[in-house]
Amino acid sequence: MEDNKDYSIEIIRYNIPSSEYAAFEKAYLDAGKLLEASPYCKGYNIIKGSDEPDHYIVTIYWTSEEDHLQQFRKSEQFTGFFQLVKPFYSNIAEMKHYHPPLVNWKR
């Protein structure tokens, strides 16, 4: 992600049982195509825990929190996105928006 401070980060933490790993990963791979089609999404990533493999973190970079909540959620991409990830909503441990990093150092 660039250092531009004009964006919002949504972080969603999931606890997914091993029997649902494949379905969860496929749902988000398919849902990612809808994020990519949205003008309000600047990028996303999906990471899986190594110490605790049931833990997944989905990070979505939005043009703004307002664009996510007021524009994307009213878009045709959201309808398809929601249908794909809806089966896993009960597995959400956290779903919140964050400001861009105060520090973003990378080598």
Side-chain angles (χ1 to χ4, degrees):
M1 202 78 248
E2 74 269 8
D3 291 330
N4 176 350
K5 298 294 186 192
D6 295 332
Y7 65 96
S8 178
I9 303 166
E10 179 184 21
I11 296 178
I12 312 165
R13 292 187 308 111
Y14 287 91
N15 295 320
I16 302 294
S18 60
S19 61
E20 295 183 32
Y21 290 172
F24 176 81
E25 291 172 15
K26 177 163 182 7
Y28 258 100
L29 288 173
D30 293 343
K33 292 176 180 69
L34 296 165
L35 292 174
E36 291 168 21
S38 172
Y40 309 108
C41 182
K42 296 173 66 122
Y44 65 94
N45 59 54
I46 303 161
I47 59 175
K48 180 178 178 156
S50 57
D51 294 333
E52 297 176 293
D54 289 357
H55 292 193
Y56 285 81
I57 298 173
V58 176
T59 306
I60 306 173
Y61 301 89
W62 298 105
T63 49
S64 71
E65 187 173 337
E66 182 177 333
D67 283 348
H68 170 221
L69 299 175
Q70 301 302 320
Q71 302 297 327
F72 177 73
R73 287 198 177 169
K74 294 177 183 172
S75 72
E76 64 183 61
Q77 288 92 9
F78 176 73
T79 303
F81 176 87
F82 185 71
Q83 289 306 311
L84 289 165
V85 301
K86 184 179 178 181
F88 306 100
Y89 264 48
S90 64
N91 301 91
I92 293 174
E94 174 188 15
M95 182 168 52
K96 303 218 185 277
H97 288 94
Y98 290 85
H99 296 290
L102 299 172
V103 175
N104 193 17
W105 185 89
K106 296 178 228 172
R107 187 172 304 270

